[in-house]
């Protein structure tokens, strides 16, 4: 047997000895080890078959009594004003807004164009966003002046100048308010039968825009609205039925009363399903 082969056999024997020593430790080594149950494991799981498992109910943390930040910035009155103004400008239902918005078919002012190009619509929405910023600043400045004793007199004087009301009978009242940020005047006719409102928008360099609105709840889930735009000579009828707090069906019908107007003369009928998220 040559020396090379002898060296190789020695190496193999050493390697086998190391593997056996690792895999099969001595009896004393086993005796020295202490086997304990791992935390969270059971010795016997047979009882789990009859165990009744209940869902863990996670409760919301208790409220500190303060309204959320969004509710502090956009209160109910401000949200309603933004919503009414936006609907009058861009459409009273989701279906009408989608129909009136320009798309790749109406981009080049073809026969079906209604509101112009996408750039013109973006400019209108940008002006509406600027109005929202101005109105937010005006609204919260008024709240601060109303709460601060030093400026409450200034706030009261501003209220007297921009607000007016007149009672016409029992349950009947007419009130008017001038919106400084929106450059508009709102006239509300309160009565027991239906809600009536007229908005006069005074745009610089343009003729005033006025919209007259009538609305009334038919049932707890059904409401009916009518809107008339005097300058455009367009009347819009809207019916809404709430199927759930986030789902409603809408019917929208609009037509023109005169051949002259800002928008294209057409009669429009739309039905849709709206999901609020």
């Amino acid at each position: 047997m040559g020396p090379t082969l002898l060296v190789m056999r020695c190496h193999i024997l050493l390697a086998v000895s190391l593997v056996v020593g690792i895999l099969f430790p001595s009896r004393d080594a086993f005796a020295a080890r202490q086997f304990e149950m791992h935390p969270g494991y059971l010795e016997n799981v047979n009882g789990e078959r009859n165990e009744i498992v209940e869902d863990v109910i996670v409760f919301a943390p208790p409220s500190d009594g303060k309204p959320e930040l969004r509710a502090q910035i956009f209160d109910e009155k401000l949200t309603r004003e933004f919503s009414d103004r936006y609907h009058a400008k861009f459409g009273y239902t989701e279906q009408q807004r989608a129909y009136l918005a320009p798309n790749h078919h109406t981009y080049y002012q073809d026969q079906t164009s209604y509101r112009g190009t996408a750039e013109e619509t973006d400019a209108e929405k940008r002006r509406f966003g600027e109005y929202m910023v101005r109105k937010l600043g005006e609204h919260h400045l008024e709240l601060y002046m109303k709460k601060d004793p030093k400026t409450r007199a200034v706030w009261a004087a501003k209220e007297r100048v921009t607000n007016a009301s007149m009672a016409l009978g029992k349950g009947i009242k007419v009130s008017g308010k001038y919106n400084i940020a929106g450059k508009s005047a709102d006239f509300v006719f309160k009565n027991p039968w239906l809600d009536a409102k007229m908005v006069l928008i005074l745009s610089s360099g343009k003729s005033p825009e006025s919209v007259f609105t009538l609305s009334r709840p038919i049932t707890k889930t059904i409401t009916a609205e009518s809107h008339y735009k005097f300058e455009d000579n367009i009347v819009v009828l809207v019916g809404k039925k709430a199927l759930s707090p986030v789902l409603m069906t809408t019917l929208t019908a609009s037509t023109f009363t005169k051949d002259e107007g800002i928008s294209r003369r057409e009669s429009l009928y739309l039905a849709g399903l709206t999901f609020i998220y």
Side-chain angles (χ1 to χ4, degrees):
M1 180 183 298
T4 304
L5 183 58
L6 181 61
V7 172
M8 292 179 59
R9 288 184 177 182
C10 292
H11 287 174
I12 294 174
L13 182 60
L14 179 60
V16 172
S17 301
L18 291 175
V19 171
V20 172
I22 294 174
L23 297 180
F24 304 99
S26 64
R27 183 179 303 176
D28 296 337
F30 274 110
R33 295 184 61 181
Q34 295 181 359
F35 295 92
E36 297 179 356
M37 188 187 309
H38 193 279
Y41 285 82
L42 302 177
E43 291 183 349
N44 192 339
V45 295
N46 293 330
E48 291 186 354
R49 295 183 177 181
N50 302 323
E51 183 180 358
I52 300 176
V53 180
E54 297 182 357
D55 295 335
V56 177
I57 301 176
V58 180
F59 293 93
S63 176
D64 56 359
K66 298 181 180 180
E68 297 181 357
L69 180 60
R70 182 184 181 279
Q72 296 180 28
I73 299 175
F74 300 94
D75 57 18
E76 184 178 356
K77 181 180 179 182
L78 201 60
T79 301
R80 180 62 183 272
E81 179 177 339
F82 287 159
S83 178
D84 292 345
R85 189 77 172 260
Y86 185 87
H87 291 165
K89 191 67 176 178
F90 301 104
Y92 293 99
T93 60
E94 292 291 339
Q95 291 71 33
Q96 189 181 25
R97 288 190 288 272
Y99 177 82
L100 299 180
N103 50 58
H104 63 282
H105 296 295
T106 63
Y107 185 80
Y108 294 104
Q109 295 280 15
D110 60 3
Q111 293 286 330
T112 60
S113 178
Y114 186 60
R115 295 191 65 85
T117 64
E119 286 83 356
E120 293 172 348
T121 303
D122 289 343
E124 288 185 0
K125 292 183 177 181
R126 187 179 301 109
R127 287 191 291 269
F128 183 83
E130 294 171 352
Y131 148 72
M132 289 184 62
V133 173
R134 294 195 304 269
K135 184 60 182 179
L136 276 172
E138 175 189 343
H139 179 73
H140 289 285
L141 178 61
E142 289 180 355
L143 292 179
Y144 172 79
M145 295 174 63
K146 182 180 179 180
K147 295 178 181 179
D148 191 350
K150 297 180 180 179
T151 57
R152 189 175 301 164
V154 179
W155 169 83
K158 182 260 180 187
E159 288 294 302
R160 288 193 297 268
V161 173
T162 58
N163 291 272
S165 61
M166 179 176 59
L168 302 179
K170 185 177 181 180
I172 302 176
K173 181 180 179 181
V174 178
S175 60
K177 181 177 182 179
Y178 180 72
N179 189 336
I180 299 177
K183 299 179 180 180
S184 63
D186 299 349
F187 302 94
V188 179
F189 178 63
K190 295 183 179 180
N191 60 88
W193 308 287
L194 47 77
D195 298 329
K197 182 179 181 180
M198 182 173 179
V199 180
L200 181 65
I201 303 175
L202 307 173
S203 301
S204 58
K206 297 182 180 179
S207 58
E209 303 177 16
S210 53
V211 180
F212 183 69
T213 299
L214 295 174
S215 61
R216 177 180 174 82
I218 307 301
T219 64
K220 292 183 178 180
T221 59
I222 300 176
T223 58
E225 305 173 3
S226 66
H227 310 271
Y228 184 74
K229 299 182 178 182
F230 286 90
E231 282 64 43
D232 202 10
N233 301 313
I234 292 291
V235 59
V236 181
L237 303 177
V238 178
K240 300 178 181 179
K241 177 177 176 56
L243 303 178
S244 72
V246 296
L247 189 65
M248 72 171 63
T249 57
T250 60
L251 294 174
T252 308
S254 68
T255 187
F256 55 94
T257 59
K258 294 182 180 180
D259 293 335
E260 300 81 15
I262 302 172
S263 61
R264 185 164 63 92
R265 307 291 90 180
E266 66 176 354
S267 296
L268 180 65
Y269 306 94
L270 299 171
L273 185 67
T274 302
F275 176 73
I276 304 173
Y277 57 91

PDB file of all heavy atoms in Angstrom, residues 29-40:
ATOM      1  N   ALA A  29     -23.395  13.073  27.439  1.00  0.00           N
ATOM      2  CA  ALA A  29     -23.870  14.339  26.853  1.00  0.00           C
ATOM      3  C   ALA A  29     -25.384  14.405  26.851  1.00  0.00           C
ATOM      4  O   ALA A  29     -25.991  15.444  27.126  1.00  0.00           O
ATOM      5  CB  ALA A  29     -23.316  14.493  25.440  1.00  0.00           C
ATOM      6  N   PHE A  30     -26.046  13.282  26.508  1.00  0.00           N
ATOM      7  CA  PHE A  30     -27.511  13.260  26.536  1.00  0.00           C
ATOM      8  C   PHE A  30     -28.026  13.468  27.954  1.00  0.00           C
ATOM      9  O   PHE A  30     -29.029  14.153  28.184  1.00  0.00           O
ATOM     10  CB  PHE A  30     -28.033  11.925  25.994  1.00  0.00           C
ATOM     11  CG  PHE A  30     -28.184  11.914  24.497  1.00  0.00           C
ATOM     12  CD1 PHE A  30     -27.343  11.148  23.712  1.00  0.00           C
ATOM     13  CD2 PHE A  30     -29.166  12.678  23.883  1.00  0.00           C
ATOM     14  CE1 PHE A  30     -27.478  11.148  22.349  1.00  0.00           C
ATOM     15  CE2 PHE A  30     -29.315  12.665  22.516  1.00  0.00           C
ATOM     16  CZ  PHE A  30     -28.467  11.903  21.724  1.00  0.00           C
ATOM     17  N   ALA A  31     -27.360  12.859  28.903  1.00  0.00           N
ATOM     18  CA  ALA A  31     -27.799  12.964  30.285  1.00  0.00           C
ATOM     19  C   ALA A  31     -27.651  14.380  30.814  1.00  0.00           C
ATOM     20  O   ALA A  31     -28.425  14.837  31.657  1.00  0.00           O
ATOM     21  CB  ALA A  31     -27.018  11.982  31.148  1.00  0.00           C
ATOM     22  N   ALA A  32     -26.657  15.091  30.308  1.00  0.00           N
ATOM     23  CA  ALA A  32     -26.428  16.462  30.787  1.00  0.00           C
ATOM     24  C   ALA A  32     -27.467  17.443  30.260  1.00  0.00           C
ATOM     25  O   ALA A  32     -27.709  18.486  30.874  1.00  0.00           O
ATOM     26  CB  ALA A  32     -25.020  16.908  30.400  1.00  0.00           C
ATOM     27  N   ARG A  33     -28.085  17.148  29.107  1.00  0.00           N
ATOM     28  CA  ARG A  33     -29.056  18.073  28.511  1.00  0.00           C
ATOM     29  C   ARG A  33     -30.375  17.991  29.249  1.00  0.00           C
ATOM     30  O   ARG A  33     -30.810  16.923  29.695  1.00  0.00           O
ATOM     31  CB  ARG A  33     -29.274  17.755  27.039  1.00  0.00           C
ATOM     32  CG  ARG A  33     -28.024  17.981  26.180  1.00  0.00           C
ATOM     33  CD  ARG A  33     -28.330  17.732  24.719  1.00  0.00           C
ATOM     34  NE  ARG A  33     -29.361  18.645  24.246  1.00  0.00           N
ATOM     35  CZ  ARG A  33     -29.837  18.622  22.987  1.00  0.00           C
ATOM     36  NH1 ARG A  33     -29.366  17.721  22.128  1.00  0.00           N
ATOM     37  NH2 ARG A  33     -30.749  19.458  22.615  1.00  0.00           N
ATOM     38  N   GLN A  34     -31.039  19.114  29.405  1.00  0.00           N
ATOM     39  CA  GLN A  34     -32.345  19.191  30.061  1.00  0.00           C
ATOM     40  C   GLN A  34     -33.388  19.613  29.023  1.00  0.00           C
ATOM     41  O   GLN A  34     -33.283  20.686  28.429  1.00  0.00           O
ATOM     42  CB  GLN A  34     -32.315  20.199  31.213  1.00  0.00           C
ATOM     43  CG  GLN A  34     -31.393  19.812  32.350  1.00  0.00           C
ATOM     44  CD  GLN A  34     -31.421  20.827  33.460  1.00  0.00           C
ATOM     45  OE1 GLN A  34     -32.127  21.831  33.373  1.00  0.00           O
ATOM     46  NE2 GLN A  34     -30.657  20.570  34.513  1.00  0.00           N
ATOM     47  N   PHE A  35     -34.357  18.741  28.771  1.00  0.00           N
ATOM     48  CA  PHE A  35     -35.404  19.008  27.797  1.00  0.00           C
ATOM     49  C   PHE A  35     -36.612  19.596  28.519  1.00  0.00           C
ATOM     50  O   PHE A  35     -37.167  18.974  29.420  1.00  0.00           O
ATOM     51  CB  PHE A  35     -35.801  17.717  27.067  1.00  0.00           C
ATOM     52  CG  PHE A  35     -34.694  17.146  26.213  1.00  0.00           C
ATOM     53  CD1 PHE A  35     -33.820  16.196  26.728  1.00  0.00           C
ATOM     54  CD2 PHE A  35     -34.510  17.588  24.924  1.00  0.00           C
ATOM     55  CE1 PHE A  35     -32.800  15.681  25.955  1.00  0.00           C
ATOM     56  CE2 PHE A  35     -33.496  17.077  24.142  1.00  0.00           C
ATOM     57  CZ  PHE A  35     -32.637  16.121  24.652  1.00  0.00           C
ATOM     58  N   GLU A  36     -36.979  20.819  28.117  1.00  0.00           N
ATOM     59  CA  GLU A  36     -38.118  21.509  28.721  1.00  0.00           C
ATOM     60  C   GLU A  36     -39.132  21.860  27.649  1.00  0.00           C
ATOM     61  O   GLU A  36     -38.796  21.969  26.460  1.00  0.00           O
ATOM     62  CB  GLU A  36     -37.659  22.791  29.439  1.00  0.00           C
ATOM     63  CG  GLU A  36     -36.716  22.537  30.599  1.00  0.00           C
ATOM     64  CD  GLU A  36     -36.280  23.823  31.250  1.00  0.00           C
ATOM     65  OE1 GLU A  36     -36.661  24.905  30.725  1.00  0.00           O
ATOM     66  OE2 GLU A  36     -35.572  23.762  32.270  1.00  0.00           O
ATOM     67  N   MET A  37     -40.397  22.043  28.075  1.00  0.00           N
ATOM     68  CA  MET A  37     -41.469  22.401  27.145  1.00  0.00           C
ATOM     69  C   MET A  37     -41.283  23.847  26.660  1.00  0.00           C
ATOM     70  O   MET A  37     -41.023  24.755  27.451  1.00  0.00           O
ATOM     71  CB  MET A  37     -42.826  22.259  27.834  1.00  0.00           C
ATOM     72  CG  MET A  37     -44.021  22.420  26.887  1.00  0.00           C
ATOM     73  SD  MET A  37     -45.572  22.434  27.794  1.00  0.00           S
ATOM     74  CE  MET A  37     -45.374  20.958  28.786  1.00  0.00           C
ATOM     75  N   HIS A  38     -41.416  24.051  25.373  1.00  0.00           N
ATOM     76  CA  HIS A  38     -41.288  25.398  24.809  1.00  0.00           C
ATOM     77  C   HIS A  38     -42.516  26.228  25.183  1.00  0.00           C
ATOM     78  O   HIS A  38     -43.643  25.727  25.125  1.00  0.00           O
ATOM     79  CB  HIS A  38     -41.156  25.320  23.280  1.00  0.00           C
ATOM     80  CG  HIS A  38     -40.727  26.613  22.666  1.00  0.00           C
ATOM     81  ND1 HIS A  38     -41.606  27.633  22.423  1.00  0.00           N
ATOM     82  CD2 HIS A  38     -39.506  27.049  22.263  1.00  0.00           C
ATOM     83  CE1 HIS A  38     -40.968  28.641  21.882  1.00  0.00           C
ATOM     84  NE2 HIS A  38     -39.684  28.320  21.771  1.00  0.00           N
ATOM     85  N   PRO A  39     -42.324  27.468  25.578  1.00  0.00           N
ATOM     86  CA  PRO A  39     -43.474  28.315  25.941  1.00  0.00           C
ATOM     87  C   PRO A  39     -44.473  28.408  24.796  1.00  0.00           C
ATOM     88  O   PRO A  39     -44.112  28.692  23.651  1.00  0.00           O
ATOM     89  CB  PRO A  39     -42.831  29.676  26.258  1.00  0.00           C
ATOM     90  CG  PRO A  39     -41.413  29.358  26.596  1.00  0.00           C
ATOM     91  CD  PRO A  39     -41.039  28.164  25.779  1.00  0.00           C
ATOM     92  N   GLY A  40     -45.747  28.174  25.083  1.00  0.00           N
ATOM     93  CA  GLY A  40     -46.778  28.259  24.076  1.00  0.00           C
ATOM     94  C   GLY A  40     -47.170  26.922  23.491  1.00  0.00           C
ATOM     95  O   GLY A  40     -48.182  26.837  22.770  1.00  0.00           O
TER      96      GLY A  40
END
